[in-house]
Amino acid sequence: MSKPIIDARNLIAAYGSMQALKDVSLTVEKGEIFGLLGPNGAGKTTLLACVEGLHKPSQGSVHIGGINVQVDSTATKRQLGIQLQRTALMDDLTVAELVEVYAALYEVYLTSGQINKLLARFDLVEKRNTLARRLSGGQQQRLALAVAIANDPQIVLLDEPTSALDPHARRAVWDIVRQLHNEGRTIVLTTHAMEEAEALCGRIAIIDRGQIVASDTPSALIANLQLSSMLKATVELPLEQVRSLPSVNNARYTGQHLEMETAKPEVTLTALHELAARSGSSIRDVMLRQPNLEDVFLKLTGHALSESN
Ligand SMILES: Nc1ncnc2c1ncn2[C@@H]1O[C@H](COP(=O)(O)OP(=O)(O)OP(=O)(O)O)[C@@H](O)[C@H]1O
Ligand SMILES: [Mg+2]
């Protein structure tokens, strides 16, 4: 296998007595979309900040393209495009001026034609002479992405690129991320939305309380833990009998709805039908939910992804 493009080893990072990263190691291969999935306060931004060279870890190292970030941050920063979680864009500049200024920070000097081409990708050409502070939330998020790639970086680091966006704007950002990936760029993004990690990322690391608890493709993470599916049905049956049906790991009632955790939903459903027929009950509204990353998170950490640390 080729050398990873990002190689973070044994990172320990603290803010005073608060340990934000506790011995975190991570490798990202060239050309992948890699997701850091974790709740508020898990350490995602701190980990990106260490990779970016913006936070000095108290222990451990980060290499980008084989170069140590702590030793030559100018060389490593040239390869990076960065979208911070809270981008304080200079909002008294116009959209076009901002892109020009950010590229120039990396010693990349864009012509007016190049700026237009970049803005066109983000559907912002019409806004080129508008002050950044007059943009809508979704437009500002797209501008933050345009600014992140103004220096034409190989690696793009996006800290919650879709937080606070409505579903339409969120999908527009997903499309942009996929385009950047199709151009051969390596993307690392953070999110606490498991559907975003599933939709975009080839591999993810689940991070909780400053530690990576698992890292793999979303499907392997789900498959390896052999999690139960959730079968829901509206039916009245004695719970003890339901619990003894084949493959049922757990069962409960929420209101009229029977919820069953099952390793083999087809087997359980057939047995449930037989039990209902024997008892003279009818089954209405059957719903099956396959295990997802939310379940993986709960199983590995003992708490829900939506809970803060
Ligand atoms: N500048 C700081 N000073 C003190 N503590 C900090 C600072 N930045 C982060 N922390 C703490 O470090 C821990 C990790 O924070 P971090 O911002 O890396 O989490 P995160 O995963 O990015 O969370 P979120 O999803 O809310 O952005 C948290 O407990 C946070 O309170
Ligand atoms: Mg963060």
Side-chain angles (χ1 to χ4, degrees), residues 5-6 28-29 31-35 48 51-52 64 76-84 106 121-122 144-159 161 176-177 179-181 183-190:
I5 195 158
I6 299 175
V28 177
E29 303 297 325
E32 67 178 337
I33 305 185
F34 192 96
L48 281 192
V51 171
E52 288 153 357
I64 294 183
T76 52
K77 277 205 188 95
R78 269 206 194 103
Q79 303 184 58
L80 299 179
I82 299 173
Q83 184 210 351
L84 299 174
Y106 290 90
R121 296 191 56 170
F122 297 92
L145 283 166
V147 162
I149 66 155
N151 61 324
D152 196 18
Q154 266 202 69
I155 306 167
V156 186
L157 307 174
L158 306 172
D159 200 354
I176 292 169
V177 171
Q179 278 175 29
L180 297 176
H181 175 241
E183 292 165 6
R185 300 181 212 265
T186 306
I187 320 268
V188 181
L189 61 90
T190 73

Side-chain angles (χ1 to χ4, degrees), residues 85-147:
Q85 185 168 5
R86 275 174 286 280
T87 311
L89 294 171
M90 293 168 272
D91 59 7
D92 271 330
L93 296 185
T94 67
V95 166
E97 285 166 347
L98 269 168
V99 170
E100 188 177 4
V101 164
Y102 273 85
L105 290 178
Y106 290 90
E107 294 169 13
V108 173
Y109 301 100
L110 299 175
T111 64
S112 178
Q114 286 170 321
I115 292 172
N116 266 348
K117 215 169 141 188
L118 182 63
L119 292 179
R121 296 191 56 170
F122 297 92
D123 203 13
L124 285 170
V125 177
E126 279 175 23
K127 300 286 177 192
R128 72 168 279 148
N129 297 319
T130 302
L131 293 178
R133 71 178 131 90
R134 298 211 195 285
L135 296 178
S136 73
Q139 289 163 346
Q140 285 187 12
Q141 208 98 347
R142 294 208 301 274
L143 176 59
L145 283 166
V147 162

Side-chain angles (χ1 to χ4, degrees), residues 241-302:
Q241 292 187 27
V242 173
R243 287 199 174 120
S244 61
L245 292 177
S247 300
V248 171
N249 299 327
N250 204 351
R252 63 190 157 263
Y253 268 101
T254 48
Q256 292 181 315
H257 305 290
L258 175 63
E259 295 183 355
M260 291 155 286
E261 289 171 27
T262 164
K264 293 185 183 149
E266 343 57 70
V267 175
T268 300
L269 189 58
T270 309
L272 186 73
H273 272 289
E274 285 165 7
L275 176 64
R278 282 201 303 277
S279 322
S281 304
S282 58
I283 301 177
R284 288 157 287 147
D285 301 334
V286 176
M287 204 191 87
L288 175 67
R289 186 174 72 68
Q290 302 289 353
N292 59 28
L293 288 176
E294 203 70 68
D295 303 311
V296 171
F297 191 86
L298 183 63
K299 174 95 177 188
L300 290 173
T301 67

